[in-house]
Amino acid sequence: SDPNLAERVCAEAVAAAERLAACNIPQRFAINLQVVDRIAHAEEICLGSYMPGEKVLKITSPNQFSAVIDPDNIFSQIPTLELFDSLIVHELTHALVDQQPYKGKQCLENQEYMAYAMQLEAMSPASRKILIDAAGGGIEVTRERLNAFIAIAAPSKFAAWSWIHFSAPQNGCDFVGKLVSGKTTLKFP
């Protein structure tokens, strides 16, 4: 209903799709992106959601963030519109990974790694620093740290660690491409 917000969403979605395609996650099919007041997913209130198979991506309206984000949550320190834009990138990553021809099921840690790495890559250095500092600073992040337990128990830490790992010279879009294709995984054997 807000034309300015609709224009912002479209511009960010197009830019995000271009960045994701350059990182081995191309868009293959159309996606319906909706801005809503509240998302309840698995009985939890969340900021964004993508339901595989439905091709519908939902993002909480930025004017609802103060009602949805706990003030103690580190994401509350990110500027509202920057966080909103980054959520589009996060959820669009899930949607586009779902469109790839890989026949296996992407595990939680692969999915969240790609989504958080792309989300933080889209943020300003100052916002990334807030998240990284809250996760313990620029520590060395091994693949073992990027596990499903951390993704669920400490999502902001997992987000920061994903970007730290992604930004290492030997990783980046090459590593994402290996996750997308199934040539590697973060899942423990």
Side-chain angles (χ1 to χ4, degrees):
S1 62
D2 179 346
N4 292 329
L5 186 59
E7 188 175 320
R8 180 181 199 97
V9 167
C10 289
E12 186 54 43
V14 168
E18 290 171 359
R19 286 193 305 272
L20 291 169
C23 203
N24 301 305
I25 313 173
Q27 182 171 354
R28 299 176 188 281
F29 311 106
I31 294 175
N32 181 339
L33 196 153
Q34 300 173 3
V35 177
V36 297
D37 285 340
R38 193 163 285 245
I39 301 168
H41 179 67
E43 299 180 23
E44 292 289 324
I45 301 301
C46 54
L47 296 175
S49 144
Y50 172 73
M51 298 308 292
E54 293 180 22
K55 298 184 178 91
V56 175
L57 184 157
K58 294 180 181 178
I59 305 290
T60 299
S61 175
N63 64 12
Q64 296 296 315
F65 281 8
S66 61
V68 176
I69 303 173
D70 188 296
D72 294 334
N73 185 319
I74 193 66
F75 283 103
S76 70
Q77 295 181 30
I78 307 300
T80 300
L81 290 177
E82 183 177 1
L83 180 59
F84 177 75
D85 292 347
S86 78
L87 289 167
I88 293 171
V89 175
H90 182 104
E91 296 304 332
L92 191 59
T93 302
H94 285 304
L96 299 190
V97 166
D98 187 46
Q99 295 181 357
Q100 302 313 305
Y102 172 64
K103 299 299 180 208
K105 184 177 187 313
Q106 289 286 354
C107 62
L108 172 75
E109 46 271 63
N110 288 0
Q111 279 277 352
E112 292 305 323
Y113 173 92
M114 291 183 276
Y116 279 126
M118 297 294 98
Q119 179 180 5
L120 270 67
E121 182 69 8
M123 288 182 172
S124 68
S127 291
R128 271 197 305 269
K129 184 174 179 347
I130 291 169
L131 295 170
I132 290 167
D133 288 350
I139 62 168
E140 179 184 353
V141 177
T142 61
R143 288 171 62 164
E144 291 75 22
R145 287 182 188 251
L146 299 166
N147 60 67
F149 177 78
I150 298 297
I152 293 168
S156 61
K157 185 173 281 192
F158 188 87
W161 287 357
S162 295
W163 188 83
I164 291 167
H165 183 272
F166 171 81
S167 66
Q170 70 276 16
N171 296 322
C173 291
D174 287 339
F175 185 74
V176 167
K178 290 175 185 172
L179 290 173
V180 169
S181 69
K183 290 180 182 165
T184 194
T185 185
L186 292 169
K187 188 165 189 68
F188 279 106

